[in-house]
Short mmCIF file of all heavy atoms in Angstrom, two decimals:
data_model
loop_
_atom_site.label_atom_id
_atom_site.label_comp_id
_atom_site.label_asym_id
_atom_site.label_seq_id
_atom_site.Cartn_x
_atom_site.Cartn_y
_atom_site.Cartn_z
N ILE A 11 0.87 -1.17 0.00
CA ILE A 11 0.00 0.00 0.00
C ILE A 11 0.91 1.22 0.00
O ILE A 11 1.68 1.43 0.94
CB ILE A 11 -0.93 0.01 1.22
CG1 ILE A 11 -1.76 -1.29 1.26
CG2 ILE A 11 -1.85 1.23 1.19
CD1 ILE A 11 -2.52 -1.49 2.55
N VAL A 12 0.81 2.00 -1.06
CA VAL A 12 1.77 3.08 -1.30
C VAL A 12 1.07 4.43 -1.24
O VAL A 12 0.07 4.66 -1.93
CB VAL A 12 2.46 2.89 -2.67
CG1 VAL A 12 3.36 4.08 -3.00
CG2 VAL A 12 3.26 1.59 -2.68
N SER A 13 1.63 5.32 -0.43
CA SER A 13 1.12 6.68 -0.31
C SER A 13 2.10 7.66 -0.94
O SER A 13 3.33 7.49 -0.82
CB SER A 13 0.91 7.05 1.16
OG SER A 13 -0.04 6.19 1.77
N THR A 14 1.54 8.69 -1.59
CA THR A 14 2.39 9.62 -2.33
C THR A 14 2.17 11.07 -1.93
O THR A 14 2.63 11.98 -2.63
CB THR A 14 2.12 9.49 -3.84
OG1 THR A 14 0.75 9.80 -4.10
CG2 THR A 14 2.45 8.09 -4.33
N GLY A 15 1.49 11.30 -0.82
CA GLY A 15 1.25 12.68 -0.40
C GLY A 15 0.06 13.32 -1.05
O GLY A 15 -0.26 14.47 -0.79
N SER A 16 -0.62 12.59 -1.92
CA SER A 16 -1.86 13.08 -2.54
C SER A 16 -3.00 12.18 -2.10
O SER A 16 -2.82 11.26 -1.30
CB SER A 16 -1.73 13.07 -4.06
OG SER A 16 -1.65 11.74 -4.54
N GLU A 17 -4.15 12.42 -2.65
CA GLU A 17 -5.30 11.58 -2.30
C GLU A 17 -5.20 10.20 -2.94
O GLU A 17 -5.90 9.27 -2.55
CB GLU A 17 -6.60 12.27 -2.75
CG GLU A 17 -6.90 13.56 -1.99
CD GLU A 17 -8.20 14.20 -2.45
OE1 GLU A 17 -8.83 13.63 -3.36
OE2 GLU A 17 -8.57 15.24 -1.89
N ARG A 18 -4.33 10.10 -3.93
CA ARG A 18 -4.21 8.85 -4.67
C ARG A 18 -3.39 7.83 -3.88
O ARG A 18 -2.33 8.14 -3.35
CB ARG A 18 -3.57 9.12 -6.03
CG ARG A 18 -3.45 7.91 -6.92
CD ARG A 18 -2.82 8.31 -8.25
NE ARG A 18 -3.69 9.20 -9.00
CZ ARG A 18 -3.32 9.81 -10.11
NH1 ARG A 18 -2.11 9.66 -10.59
NH2 ARG A 18 -4.18 10.59 -10.75
N GLU A 19 -3.89 6.62 -3.78
CA GLU A 19 -3.19 5.54 -3.10
C GLU A 19 -3.05 4.37 -4.07
O GLU A 19 -3.96 4.06 -4.82
CB GLU A 19 -3.98 5.09 -1.86
CG GLU A 19 -3.29 4.03 -1.03
CD GLU A 19 -4.10 3.69 0.21
OE1 GLU A 19 -5.04 2.87 0.10
OE2 GLU A 19 -3.81 4.26 1.28
N TYR A 20 -1.88 3.75 -4.04
CA TYR A 20 -1.61 2.62 -4.93
C TYR A 20 -1.56 1.34 -4.11
O TYR A 20 -0.99 1.31 -3.01
CB TYR A 20 -0.27 2.80 -5.65
CG TYR A 20 -0.19 4.01 -6.55
CD1 TYR A 20 0.08 5.27 -6.02
CD2 TYR A 20 -0.37 3.90 -7.93
CE1 TYR A 20 0.18 6.39 -6.84
CE2 TYR A 20 -0.28 5.02 -8.77
CZ TYR A 20 -0.01 6.25 -8.20
OH TYR A 20 0.08 7.36 -9.01
N ARG A 21 -2.15 0.29 -4.67
CA ARG A 21 -2.05 -1.04 -4.08
C ARG A 21 -1.47 -1.96 -5.15
O ARG A 21 -2.07 -2.12 -6.22
CB ARG A 21 -3.41 -1.54 -3.59
CG ARG A 21 -3.94 -0.78 -2.39
CD ARG A 21 -5.34 -1.19 -1.98
NE ARG A 21 -5.76 -0.46 -0.81
CZ ARG A 21 -5.71 -0.91 0.44
NH1 ARG A 21 -5.28 -2.15 0.66
NH2 ARG A 21 -6.10 -0.15 1.46
N ALA A 22 -0.32 -2.54 -4.85
CA ALA A 22 0.36 -3.34 -5.86
C ALA A 22 0.89 -4.63 -5.24
O ALA A 22 1.39 -4.62 -4.10
CB ALA A 22 1.52 -2.55 -6.47
N ARG A 23 0.77 -5.72 -5.97
CA ARG A 23 1.34 -6.98 -5.52
C ARG A 23 2.86 -6.85 -5.35
O ARG A 23 3.42 -7.31 -4.38
CB ARG A 23 1.02 -8.09 -6.54
CG ARG A 23 1.67 -9.43 -6.25
CD ARG A 23 1.00 -10.13 -5.09
NE ARG A 23 -0.37 -10.49 -5.43
CZ ARG A 23 -1.29 -10.85 -4.53
NH1 ARG A 23 -0.98 -10.90 -3.25
NH2 ARG A 23 -2.52 -11.15 -4.91
N TYR A 24 3.50 -6.17 -6.32
CA TYR A 24 4.95 -6.05 -6.29
C TYR A 24 5.35 -4.58 -6.28
O TYR A 24 4.79 -3.76 -7.03
CB TYR A 24 5.58 -6.74 -7.51
CG TYR A 24 5.22 -8.21 -7.60
CD1 TYR A 24 4.38 -8.67 -8.61
CD2 TYR A 24 5.71 -9.13 -6.68
CE1 TYR A 24 4.04 -10.01 -8.70
CE2 TYR A 24 5.38 -10.47 -6.76
CZ TYR A 24 4.55 -10.91 -7.76
OH TYR A 24 4.21 -12.24 -7.84
N LEU A 25 6.33 -4.27 -5.46
CA LEU A 25 6.90 -2.94 -5.37
C LEU A 25 8.33 -3.01 -5.88
O LEU A 25 9.16 -3.75 -5.34
CB LEU A 25 6.88 -2.44 -3.93
CG LEU A 25 7.50 -1.06 -3.67
CD1 LEU A 25 6.68 0.03 -4.37
CD2 LEU A 25 7.57 -0.79 -2.16
N ILE A 26 8.63 -2.25 -6.93
CA ILE A 26 9.95 -2.31 -7.56
C ILE A 26 10.59 -0.93 -7.43
O ILE A 26 10.10 0.06 -7.98
CB ILE A 26 9.83 -2.73 -9.03
CG1 ILE A 26 9.22 -4.14 -9.08
CG2 ILE A 26 11.19 -2.70 -9.72
CD1 ILE A 26 8.83 -4.59 -10.46
N LEU A 27 11.69 -0.88 -6.69
CA LEU A 27 12.37 0.37 -6.40
C LEU A 27 13.48 0.59 -7.41
O LEU A 27 14.51 -0.10 -7.38
CB LEU A 27 12.92 0.34 -4.97
CG LEU A 27 11.88 0.04 -3.87
CD1 LEU A 27 12.55 -0.02 -2.51
CD2 LEU A 27 10.77 1.09 -3.88
N ALA A 28 13.25 1.54 -8.31
CA ALA A 28 14.22 1.85 -9.37
C ALA A 28 14.59 3.32 -9.26
O ALA A 28 14.54 4.08 -10.23
CB ALA A 28 13.64 1.52 -10.74
N MET A 29 14.97 3.73 -8.06
CA MET A 29 15.20 5.15 -7.78
C MET A 29 16.62 5.61 -8.08
O MET A 29 16.90 6.80 -8.01
CB MET A 29 14.86 5.44 -6.31
CG MET A 29 13.37 5.28 -6.04
SD MET A 29 13.04 4.10 -4.75
CE MET A 29 13.16 5.07 -3.29
N GLY A 30 17.50 4.68 -8.40
CA GLY A 30 18.85 5.08 -8.77
C GLY A 30 19.78 5.20 -7.57
O GLY A 30 19.35 5.40 -6.43
N GLN A 31 21.07 5.08 -7.86
CA GLN A 31 22.09 5.17 -6.82
C GLN A 31 22.54 6.60 -6.58
O GLN A 31 23.08 6.94 -5.53
CB GLN A 31 23.32 4.33 -7.21
CG GLN A 31 23.02 2.91 -7.62
CD GLN A 31 22.51 2.84 -9.05
OE1 GLN A 31 22.70 3.74 -9.87
NE2 GLN A 31 21.84 1.75 -9.37
N LEU A 32 22.33 7.46 -7.59
CA LEU A 32 22.81 8.84 -7.53
C LEU A 32 21.64 9.80 -7.67
O LEU A 32 21.61 10.67 -8.53
CB LEU A 32 23.83 9.08 -8.66
CG LEU A 32 25.04 8.14 -8.67
CD1 LEU A 32 25.89 8.38 -9.90
CD2 LEU A 32 25.88 8.32 -7.40
N SER A 33 20.66 9.62 -6.80
CA SER A 33 19.45 10.44 -6.90
C SER A 33 19.11 11.15 -5.59
O SER A 33 18.08 11.82 -5.50
CB SER A 33 18.25 9.58 -7.33
OG SER A 33 18.05 8.51 -6.44
N ARG A 34 19.97 11.01 -4.59
CA ARG A 34 19.75 11.69 -3.31
C ARG A 34 20.94 12.62 -3.07
O ARG A 34 21.93 12.24 -2.45
CB ARG A 34 19.62 10.67 -2.19
CG ARG A 34 19.29 11.27 -0.83
CD ARG A 34 17.84 11.64 -0.72
NE ARG A 34 17.48 12.10 0.61
CZ ARG A 34 16.29 12.58 0.92
NH1 ARG A 34 15.35 12.64 -0.01
NH2 ARG A 34 16.02 13.00 2.14
N PRO A 35 20.90 13.85 -3.58
CA PRO A 35 22.06 14.74 -3.44
C PRO A 35 22.34 15.06 -1.97
O PRO A 35 21.43 15.14 -1.14
CB PRO A 35 21.64 15.99 -4.20
CG PRO A 35 20.50 15.59 -5.06
CD PRO A 35 19.81 14.47 -4.33
N LYS A 36 23.62 15.24 -1.68
CA LYS A 36 23.98 15.75 -0.36
C LYS A 36 23.49 17.20 -0.25
O LYS A 36 23.68 18.00 -1.16
CB LYS A 36 25.50 15.75 -0.18
CG LYS A 36 26.15 14.39 -0.18
CD LYS A 36 27.65 14.58 0.00
CE LYS A 36 28.40 13.29 -0.17
NZ LYS A 36 29.87 13.50 -0.11
N ASN A 37 22.90 17.50 0.86
CA ASN A 37 22.45 18.87 1.10
C ASN A 37 23.54 19.62 1.85
O ASN A 37 23.41 19.98 3.01
CB ASN A 37 21.14 18.86 1.89
CG ASN A 37 20.55 20.24 2.06
OD1 ASN A 37 20.78 21.12 1.24
ND2 ASN A 37 19.83 20.46 3.15
N THR A 38 24.66 19.85 1.15
CA THR A 38 25.82 20.45 1.79
C THR A 38 25.55 21.92 2.11
O THR A 38 25.14 22.70 1.25
CB THR A 38 27.05 20.36 0.88
OG1 THR A 38 27.17 19.02 0.39
CG2 THR A 38 28.32 20.74 1.62
N ILE A 39 25.79 22.29 3.35
CA ILE A 39 25.61 23.67 3.80
C ILE A 39 26.75 24.00 4.77
O ILE A 39 27.05 23.22 5.68
CB ILE A 39 24.25 23.88 4.50
CG1 ILE A 39 23.10 23.65 3.53
CG2 ILE A 39 24.17 25.29 5.11
CD1 ILE A 39 21.72 23.74 4.18
N TYR A 40 27.38 25.15 4.56
CA TYR A 40 28.41 25.62 5.48
C TYR A 40 27.84 26.71 6.38
O TYR A 40 26.86 27.39 6.01
CB TYR A 40 29.61 26.16 4.70
CG TYR A 40 30.56 25.10 4.21
CD1 TYR A 40 30.45 24.60 2.92
CD2 TYR A 40 31.55 24.59 5.03
CE1 TYR A 40 31.31 23.61 2.46
CE2 TYR A 40 32.43 23.60 4.58
CZ TYR A 40 32.30 23.12 3.30
OH TYR A 40 33.16 22.14 2.85
N PRO A 41 28.43 26.92 7.54
CA PRO A 41 27.96 27.99 8.43
C PRO A 41 27.98 29.35 7.72
O PRO A 41 28.86 29.62 6.90
CB PRO A 41 28.98 27.96 9.58
CG PRO A 41 29.54 26.58 9.57
CD PRO A 41 29.53 26.14 8.14
N GLY A 42 26.99 30.15 8.03
CA GLY A 42 26.92 31.49 7.47
C GLY A 42 26.35 31.57 6.06
O GLY A 42 26.25 32.67 5.50
N GLN A 43 25.97 30.44 5.49
CA GLN A 43 25.51 30.45 4.11
C GLN A 43 24.25 31.31 3.94
O GLN A 43 24.03 31.90 2.88
CB GLN A 43 25.25 29.02 3.64
CG GLN A 43 24.99 28.88 2.15
CD GLN A 43 25.03 27.43 1.70
OE1 GLN A 43 25.96 26.70 2.02
NE2 GLN A 43 24.02 27.01 0.96
N GLU A 44 23.46 31.40 4.99
CA GLU A 44 22.23 32.19 4.90
C GLU A 44 22.53 33.69 4.74
O GLU A 44 21.67 34.47 4.32
CB GLU A 44 21.36 31.96 6.14
CG GLU A 44 21.91 32.51 7.44
CD GLU A 44 22.96 31.62 8.10
OE1 GLU A 44 23.34 30.59 7.52
OE2 GLU A 44 23.40 31.97 9.22
N ASN A 45 23.75 34.10 5.07
CA ASN A 45 24.12 35.51 4.97
C ASN A 45 24.76 35.86 3.62
O ASN A 45 25.00 37.04 3.33
CB ASN A 45 25.11 35.89 6.09
CG ASN A 45 24.53 35.63 7.46
OD1 ASN A 45 23.36 35.93 7.71
ND2 ASN A 45 25.33 35.07 8.36
N TYR A 46 25.03 34.85 2.84
CA TYR A 46 25.71 35.06 1.55
C TYR A 46 24.74 35.69 0.56
O TYR A 46 23.62 35.21 0.38
CB TYR A 46 26.23 33.72 1.04
CG TYR A 46 26.79 33.73 -0.36
CD1 TYR A 46 27.83 34.57 -0.70
CD2 TYR A 46 26.28 32.87 -1.34
CE1 TYR A 46 28.35 34.58 -1.99
CE2 TYR A 46 26.79 32.86 -2.62
CZ TYR A 46 27.82 33.72 -2.95
OH TYR A 46 28.33 33.72 -4.22
N ARG A 47 25.17 36.76 -0.12
CA ARG A 47 24.28 37.50 -1.01
C ARG A 47 24.35 37.03 -2.46
O ARG A 47 23.57 37.50 -3.30
CB ARG A 47 24.61 39.00 -0.92
CG ARG A 47 24.30 39.60 0.45
CD ARG A 47 24.11 41.10 0.33
NE ARG A 47 25.38 41.76 -0.01
CZ ARG A 47 26.08 42.51 0.84
NH1 ARG A 47 25.64 42.68 2.08
NH2 ARG A 47 27.19 43.09 0.46
N GLY A 48 25.29 36.14 -2.77
CA GLY A 48 25.39 35.61 -4.13
C GLY A 48 24.44 34.45 -4.35
O GLY A 48 23.53 34.18 -3.55
N ARG A 49 24.68 33.72 -5.43
CA ARG A 49 23.80 32.61 -5.81
C ARG A 49 24.46 31.29 -5.47
O ARG A 49 25.65 31.09 -5.76
CB ARG A 49 23.49 32.67 -7.30
CG ARG A 49 22.44 31.67 -7.75
CD ARG A 49 22.05 31.89 -9.21
NE ARG A 49 20.95 31.02 -9.59
CZ ARG A 49 20.43 30.95 -10.82
NH1 ARG A 49 20.93 31.72 -11.79
NH2 ARG A 49 19.43 30.14 -11.08
N VAL A 50 23.72 30.38 -4.87
CA VAL A 50 24.21 29.03 -4.54
C VAL A 50 23.51 28.03 -5.43
O VAL A 50 22.28 28.02 -5.53
CB VAL A 50 23.96 28.68 -3.05
CG1 VAL A 50 24.37 27.24 -2.77
CG2 VAL A 50 24.72 29.63 -2.15
N LEU A 51 24.29 27.17 -6.10
CA LEU A 51 23.76 26.15 -7.00
C LEU A 51 24.29 24.79 -6.60
O LEU A 51 25.38 24.68 -6.01
CB LEU A 51 24.17 26.44 -8.45
CG LEU A 51 23.71 27.77 -9.06
CD1 LEU A 51 24.43 28.02 -10.37
CD2 LEU A 51 22.20 27.77 -9.26
N TYR A 52 23.52 23.76 -6.92
CA TYR A 52 23.95 22.38 -6.72
C TYR A 52 23.98 21.69 -8.08
O TYR A 52 23.02 21.77 -8.85
CB TYR A 52 23.00 21.64 -5.77
CG TYR A 52 23.09 22.12 -4.33
CD1 TYR A 52 22.43 23.27 -3.92
CD2 TYR A 52 23.85 21.42 -3.40
CE1 TYR A 52 22.52 23.72 -2.61
CE2 TYR A 52 23.93 21.86 -2.08
CZ TYR A 52 23.27 23.01 -1.69
OH TYR A 52 23.37 23.45 -0.39
N SER A 53 25.08 21.01 -8.37
CA SER A 53 25.21 20.37 -9.68
C SER A 53 24.10 19.36 -9.93
O SER A 53 23.66 19.18 -11.06
CB SER A 53 26.58 19.69 -9.80
OG SER A 53 26.74 18.65 -8.84
#
């Protein structure tokens, strides 16, 4: 029974996770970053 944050719910005999090995980026943050006035990008 799969929930996705919407009203839609999925019920499946088989659940196949094909989310990839490189799909959860590190959320790298250094101290003081909130004060930086330039642009911050993540590759």
Side-chain angles (χ1 to χ4, degrees):
I11 304 170
V12 174
S13 299
T14 60
S16 67
E17 294 181 359
R18 183 179 294 172
E19 184 177 83
Y20 298 81
R21 292 175 178 261
R23 174 74 65 195
Y24 302 110
L25 178 65
I26 298 170
L27 305 178
M29 293 123 86
Q31 309 79 20
L32 303 174
S33 57
R34 184 77 175 174
K36 296 179 187 175
N37 185 28
T38 311
I39 296 176
Y40 279 95
Q43 190 168 311
E44 68 279 4
N45 301 318
Y46 172 57
R47 294 202 292 252
R49 188 173 186 183
V50 175
L51 300 168
Y52 290 81
S53 62

